Amino acid sequence: MACRRRRLQWHFRRMLCAALAVMLTAAAAGCGAAAGAAGEPDGPTISIGVALDEPGVGWLHDGEYSGFDVTVARYVAQALGYARKQVNFTQIRPADASAALHSGEAQMLVTSMPMDGTQPKDVQGSHPYLLTQQDLLVRTGDRPAIAAPADLNGKIVCSAQGSGAGARLREKAPGVIIRERESYQQCVTALLVGEADAVSADDAVLSGLAFSAGKGYLTLVGQPLGTVLRSVQVKAGEDELMSKINAVLDTMRKDGSLARALDAMRDATGYRGGSVPEIQR
């Protein structure tokens, strides 16, 4: 009886060990499969609103994000503790900025928005990270006839909703006719088919749009209509986050990252303007 009892105990221990081994192997395989199949990042993620239809500035092509604002967004996110795979980009147009922040669609915006007092009151902006000039994009053949704001009397100029470009342009050319569209790409289409005489935006955006339209079709007038400052935007009241972002942007100035990103944008689209503002104290 004693021998039989020992044999039963021995077989039981073998069965128990085998069962535990199978369970551990299955658990490990299951965990690995879930992480690999979903491709989900470890830890929290951050959603950043950028333009995705502005070559050289915010651009999505063949699944790759690129452009000056995308570079700034990635740098800021990394400095805040987010790895590259933890950053999700979402397309934001100027008119949707406030709603995107307050709905949670985006935690911050790195895209063109006015910093001239016309921006939504429930949105706050960082120190500016890029200074550009508002300009006009016209068909190359029309360039001689549109050389100054006075030449815009009775002309149709397209601008993006919420960008503030239309309001600034009216101050310079009261006789202009403003037609707003949802995006700059829609404005370019209107310009190419003759539904608009010009497109107005900051010259960084316009240079990219001219580049994407093809050599020779569109050109910038080259007469600045006002200063445009780019900043990172968050919901009003998020002072701690805003303070961290400002510190990161100051670091980008000091280490030359902003200057290098500006050079890359110039190389990509032929942009000739823009400057990095001085560090604000």
Side-chain angles (χ1 to χ4, degrees), residues 194-210:
E195 294 178 358
D197 299 298
V199 178
S200 191
D202 77 65
D203 52 6
V205 171
L206 296 181
S207 292
L209 295 175

Side-chain angles (χ1 to χ4, degrees), residues 204-233:
V205 171
L206 296 181
S207 292
L209 295 175
F211 174 81
S212 66
K215 187 175 181 180
Y217 288 102
L218 304 175
T219 188
L220 274 69
V221 170
Q223 292 293 325
L225 300 169
T227 297
V228 182
L229 293 168
R230 286 178 176 265
S231 70
V232 179
Q233 299 93 37

Side-chain angles (χ1 to χ4, degrees), residues 19-108:
L20 288 173
V22 170
M23 292 171 61
L24 290 172
T25 302
C31 292
E40 295 181 357
D42 298 327
T45 61
I46 185 169
S47 181
I48 302 180
V50 294
L52 298 180
D53 56 359
E54 299 173 9
V57 180
W59 183 240
L60 174 60
H61 181 67
D62 290 340
E64 294 292 329
Y65 298 94
S66 64
F68 184 91
D69 283 351
V70 172
T71 299
V72 172
R74 282 180 168 146
Y75 190 109
V76 171
Q78 182 177 10
L80 293 177
Y82 295 93
R84 190 182 182 94
K85 64 181 180 179
Q86 292 175 296
V87 177
N88 298 319
F89 289 116
T90 183
Q91 182 171 20
I92 298 295
R93 296 190 170 113
D96 304 326
S98 177
L101 287 173
H102 285 271
S103 68
E105 181 182 357
Q107 283 76 59
M108 71 174 68

Side-chain angles (χ1 to χ4, degrees), residues 3-270:
C3 291
R4 184 180 180 186
R5 189 181 302 113
R6 285 196 296 271
R7 284 198 298 270
L8 288 173
Q9 290 174 345
W10 180 74
H11 283 298
F12 178 76
R13 285 197 295 270
R14 286 189 62 187
M15 292 173 60
L16 180 61
C17 290
L20 288 173
V22 170
M23 292 171 61
L24 290 172
T25 302
C31 292
E40 295 181 357
D42 298 327
T45 61
I46 185 169
S47 181
I48 302 180
V50 294
L52 298 180
D53 56 359
E54 299 173 9
V57 180
W59 183 240
L60 174 60
H61 181 67
D62 290 340
E64 294 292 329
Y65 298 94
S66 64
F68 184 91
D69 283 351
V70 172
T71 299
V72 172
R74 282 180 168 146
Y75 190 109
V76 171
Q78 182 177 10
L80 293 177
Y82 295 93
R84 190 182 182 94
K85 64 181 180 179
Q86 292 175 296
V87 177
N88 298 319
F89 289 116
T90 183
Q91 182 171 20
I92 298 295
R93 296 190 170 113
D96 304 326
S98 177
L101 287 173
H102 285 271
S103 68
E105 181 182 357
Q107 283 76 59
M108 71 174 68
L109 309 179
V110 186
T111 185
S112 178
M113 275 188 65
M115 290 184 64
D116 54 6
T118 63
Q119 65 268 32
K121 301 300 182 184
D122 54 359
V123 174
Q124 61 178 329
S126 69
H127 298 163
Y129 59 81
L130 180 66
L131 186 152
T132 63
Q133 299 291 330
Q134 183 172 341
D135 205 336
L136 295 169
L137 185 68
V138 299
R139 294 178 293 271
T140 301
D142 295 339
R143 172 64 181 82
I146 303 178
D151 298 329
L152 294 174
N153 290 333
K155 300 289 187 182
I156 297 174
V157 177
C158 188
S159 66
Q161 295 172 357
S163 68
R168 291 190 296 268
L169 185 57
R170 281 196 183 95
E171 295 178 0
K172 299 286 185 178
V176 70
I177 301 171
I178 303 295
R179 295 282 188 269
E180 292 192 332
R181 302 290 179 97
E182 290 185 356
S183 70
Y184 290 119
Q185 292 289 345
Q186 291 178 356
C187 282
V188 169
T189 299
L191 178 60
L192 290 172
V193 302
E195 294 178 358
D197 299 298
V199 178
S200 191
D202 77 65
D203 52 6
V205 171
L206 296 181
S207 292
L209 295 175
F211 174 81
S212 66
K215 187 175 181 180
Y217 288 102
L218 304 175
T219 188
L220 274 69
V221 170
Q223 292 293 325
L225 300 169
T227 297
V228 182
L229 293 168
R230 286 178 176 265
S231 70
V232 179
Q233 299 93 37
V234 301
K235 283 194 302 184
E238 294 191 350
D239 297 333
E240 183 178 354
L241 175 59
M242 191 83 278
S243 178
K244 292 179 180 178
I245 292 171
N246 281 329
V248 175
L249 294 175
D250 287 348
T251 299
M252 291 191 75
R253 292 179 182 87
K254 293 175 181 176
D255 68 14
S257 295
L258 284 176
R260 289 191 293 273
L262 180 54
D263 287 341
M265 177 167 60
R266 289 169 174 160
D267 291 341
T269 65

